[in-house]
C-alpha cells in the first residue's frame, strides 16, 4: 500500500506541469493612455507579434500567439512552441509590466505552459526597455510640440 501511495504522489507531482508566465516591470514618465498604447503596439509589431487587444484606458495591450518552433524541433522532435505577450500599464504608479507566456506541445498532446529560457527572459527585458524608450521619445516630442504651440 505504501508503494501505491508513493507512486500516485510521484505521478501527480510530475503530471502537474504548471509554469507561471514570467513578467518584468519598469517605470516610465507620466504619460497619457494613448502614448502608452502607441509605444506598446509599435514595439510589439516591430518584434513580430500581431496585436489582438488594445485598451488604452485600461492600460492593456495583448498579442496573439506567435509560432516559435524551429524547423528541427518540428521535424525531428515533433515539438511546437509559441509565445504571447501582454503589456499592462498602471497609471497610478506609472509602472509598465510586460508578461510572456510560452507554450509547447507534441503532436499527440495539448498545449502546455513551458518555462522561459534565459534568451526568452532577455528578449522580454529588451521589449520592456524598447517600450520605455519609445514612451520617453514620444513624451519628449509632445513636450516640444506643446512648448512651440504655447509660444505662438
Amino acid at each position: 500500500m505504501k508503494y501505491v501511495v508513493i507512486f500516485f504522489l510521484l505521478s501527480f507531482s510530475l503530471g502537474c506541469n504548471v509554469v507561471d508566465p514570467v513578467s518584468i516591470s519598469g517605470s516610465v514618465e507620466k504619460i497619457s493612455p494613448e502614448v502608452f498604447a502607441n509605444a506598446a503596439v509599435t514595439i510589439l509589431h516591430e518584434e513580430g507579434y500581431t496585436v489582438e487587444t488594445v485598451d488604452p484606458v485600461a492600460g492593456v495591450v495583448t498579442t496573439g500567439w506567435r509560432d516559435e518552433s524551429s524547423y528541427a524541433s518540428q521535424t525531428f522532435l515533433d515539438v511546437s512552441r509559441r509565445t504571447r505577450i501582454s503589456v499592462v500599464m498602471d497609471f497610478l504608479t506609472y509602472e509598465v509590466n510586460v508578461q510572456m507566456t510560452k507554450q509547447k506541445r507534441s503532436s499527440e498532446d495539448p498545449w502546455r505552459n513551458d518555462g522561459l529560457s534565459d534568451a526568452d527572459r532577455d528578449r522580454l527585458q529588451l521589449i520592456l526597455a524598447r517600450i520605455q524608450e519609445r514612451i520617453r521619445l514620444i513624451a519628449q516630442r509632445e513636450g516640444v510640440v506643446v512648448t512651440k504651440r504655447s509660444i505662438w
Side-chain angles (χ1 to χ4, degrees):
M1 181 67 176
K2 180 172 108 177
Y3 294 111
V4 173
V5 172
I6 292 173
F7 174 76
F8 281 118
L9 288 176
L10 183 60
S11 298
F12 179 75
S13 67
L14 293 175
C16 294
N17 189 10
V18 177
V19 178
D20 291 330
V22 174
S23 65
I24 58 170
S25 298
S27 61
V28 294
E29 307 171 20
K30 185 174 180 179
I31 57 166
S32 69
E34 292 77 20
V35 170
F36 158 72
N38 179 313
V41 168
T42 300
I43 298 305
L44 291 172
H45 178 69
E46 288 175 2
E47 288 289 324
Y49 286 91
T50 302
V51 175
E52 285 191 350
T53 305
V54 179
D55 188 343
V57 176
V60 177
V61 175
T62 306
T63 69
W65 289 103
R66 181 174 95 169
D67 183 30
E68 301 283 343
S69 304
S70 68
Y71 175 78
S73 69
Q74 282 184 327
T75 305
F76 301 115
L77 302 175
D78 197 25
V79 174
S80 299
R81 289 184 169 79
R82 64 185 185 176
T83 58
R84 174 173 58 194
I85 295 189
S86 298
V87 183
V88 179
M89 176 73 184
D90 183 346
F91 289 104
L92 181 64
T93 62
Y94 290 98
E95 288 283 319
V96 176
N97 183 304
V98 182
Q99 177 182 17
M100 178 184 284
T101 305
K102 183 176 181 181
Q103 293 184 337
K104 73 176 181 178
R105 75 167 178 186
S106 61
S107 62
E108 298 88 32
D109 298 329
W111 287 104
R112 302 185 99 176
N113 283 357
D114 192 18
L116 272 71
S117 66
D118 288 339
D120 295 326
R121 292 173 194 275
D122 291 344
R123 187 171 67 179
L124 196 59
Q125 184 67 42
L126 177 65
I127 290 170
L128 173 62
R130 291 187 65 207
I131 290 171
Q132 289 173 306
E133 179 64 14
R134 181 79 177 192
I135 287 171
R136 188 186 66 73
L137 291 173
I138 293 171
Q140 186 179 46
R141 185 195 63 184
E142 286 184 348
V144 170
V145 171
V146 170
T147 305
K148 286 182 181 179
R149 288 183 184 162
S150 63
I151 293 173
W152 299 102

